């Protein structure tokens, strides 16, 4: 691989319609100067939120064959980054990638659900075994629904106090990852924030975000990808969260201003230039 820039094996699905997963991960990482090498877990006609009956082709066998090929060529990835998994066997394939690249930075976006509910493709067995990836990861980027699944706790719509927020971050850190970033958290002081924890430093962080009354698919993929790109190019955890939060806020506001169909995700094409400038909003502060 190119030694002059970081390379990422991006283990995610690709949806033909709806800006999410590899459709947004590849351009985001490329814009940040990171070589993104897709390892598709599944091909979907659209994402699973609102387009009716989705055509899905599982690629579990392909994942294993791709890894065998990469190893035979001596490819070395600086990062292995996993996301949506369409079958429980793909947990094993991800673990094989992790084992094949023991020096790689391991990112796990435990894509399992949102708004208090699991995605319809996320089986109980996938949920039970996702913790195996979390235990190996250097950084995880769950939303609050996925936090509850990982911690085996009931989802609660009530805002979190700072003490509660720090508690869930610490409990996730105890499972293994050094860095934890949890997205879209409503805090009891009235703020909407993305929050983070550096286990080695014992440091807790927050980046408050302006609330926009709309939900788009793919925002979690974009957040995790921007944060990964920042960490791979020298950013600290709070800087990575700040950059991801700032870019998403701009992209969401841009898309909302056009009144675009929410099912198609954010208008990445109109926002990507801002990301290439890597402008920080400098809103991160201790939690």
């Amino acid at each position: 691989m190119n030694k002059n820039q970081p390379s990422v094996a991006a283990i995610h699905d690709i949806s033909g319609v709806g800006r999410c997963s590899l459709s947004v991960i590849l351009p985001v990482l490329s814009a940040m100067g990171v070589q993104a090498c897709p390892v598709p877990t599944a091909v979907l006609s659209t994402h699973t939120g609102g387009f009716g009956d989705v055509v899905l082709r599982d690629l579990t066998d392909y994942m294993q064959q791709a890894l065998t090929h990469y190893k035979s060529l001596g490819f070395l990835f600086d990062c292995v980054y996993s996301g949506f998994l369409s079958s429980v066997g793909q947990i094993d394939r991800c673990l094989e990638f992790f084992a094949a690249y023991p020096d790689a930075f391991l990112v796990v976006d435990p894509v399992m659900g949102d708004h208090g509910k699991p995605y319809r493709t996320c089986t109980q067995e996938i949920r039970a075994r996702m913790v195996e990836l979390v235990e190996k990861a250097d950084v995880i980027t769950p939303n609050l629904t996925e936090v509850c699944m990982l911690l085996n706790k009931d989802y609660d719509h009530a805002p979190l106090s700072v003490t509660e927020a720090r508690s869930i971050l610490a409990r996730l850190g105890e499972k293994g990852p050094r860095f934890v970033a949890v997205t879209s958290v409503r805090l009891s002081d009235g703020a909407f924030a993305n929050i983070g924890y550096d286990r080695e430093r014992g440091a807790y962080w927050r980046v408050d975000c302006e609330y926009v009354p709309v939900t788009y698919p793919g925002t979690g993929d974009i957040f995790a990808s921007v944060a990964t790109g920042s960490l791979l190019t020298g950013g600290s955890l709070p800087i990575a969260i700040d950059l991801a939060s700032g870019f998403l806020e701009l992209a969401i506001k841009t898309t909302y201003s056009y009144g675009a169909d929410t099912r198609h995700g954010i208008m990445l094409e109109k926002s990507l230039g801002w990301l290439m400038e890597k402008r920080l909003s400098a809103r991160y502060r201790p939690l």
Side-chain angles (χ1 to χ4, degrees), residues 152-257:
N152 292 315
K153 66 190 299 291
D154 292 334
Y155 182 84
D156 190 343
H157 291 276
L160 296 179
S161 68
V162 168
T163 300
E164 290 169 330
R166 288 167 64 107
S167 175
I168 63 170
L169 289 169
R171 289 176 63 190
L172 289 169
E174 287 170 0
K175 292 185 178 295
R178 173 182 173 179
F179 299 127
V180 178
V182 177
T183 58
S184 303
V185 175
R186 190 158 58 106
L187 296 171
S188 57
D189 61 9
F192 285 85
N194 297 318
I195 60 176
Y197 174 55
D198 181 336
R199 177 172 50 81
E200 289 188 5
R201 293 183 56 202
Y204 299 86
W205 300 95
R206 64 185 285 177
V207 176
D208 294 359
C209 305
E210 186 175 342
Y211 175 71
V212 180
V214 68
T215 299
Y216 297 105
T219 52
D221 299 322
I222 294 170
F223 177 91
S225 299
V226 175
T228 297
S230 180
L231 290 166
L232 287 175
T233 54
S236 64
L237 178 65
I239 286 175
I241 295 174
D242 185 271
L243 186 62
S245 301
F247 175 66
L248 263 179
E249 186 173 295
L250 173 74
I252 289 170
K253 287 179 178 178
T254 298
T255 306
Y256 187 60
S257 76

Side-chain angles (χ1 to χ4, degrees), residues 84-114:
F84 173 84
L85 305 176
S86 64
S87 64
V88 70
Q90 294 184 357
I91 301 283
D92 296 314
R93 301 293 83 78
C94 287
L95 290 170
E96 289 167 3
F97 264 89
F98 290 179
Y101 300 102
D103 297 326
F105 187 68
L106 304 181
V107 179
V108 172
D109 184 8
V111 179
M112 295 185 288
D114 205 355

Side-chain angles (χ1 to χ4, degrees), residues 114-186:
D114 205 355
H115 306 296
K117 299 178 180 179
Y119 296 131
R120 55 183 170 177
T121 55
C122 183
T123 65
Q124 184 61 47
E125 194 173 5
I126 289 175
R127 280 178 267 169
R129 294 198 59 201
M130 186 63 73
V131 71
E132 296 178 41
L133 300 184
V134 168
E135 290 170 349
K136 300 286 186 183
D138 293 299
V139 58
I140 61 172
T141 59
N143 60 37
L144 201 54
T145 298
E146 292 152 352
V147 167
C148 293
M149 292 180 182
L150 291 171
L151 297 180
N152 292 315
K153 66 190 299 291
D154 292 334
Y155 182 84
D156 190 343
H157 291 276
L160 296 179
S161 68
V162 168
T163 300
E164 290 169 330
R166 288 167 64 107
S167 175
I168 63 170
L169 289 169
R171 289 176 63 190
L172 289 169
E174 287 170 0
K175 292 185 178 295
R178 173 182 173 179
F179 299 127
V180 178
V182 177
T183 58
S184 303
V185 175
R186 190 158 58 106

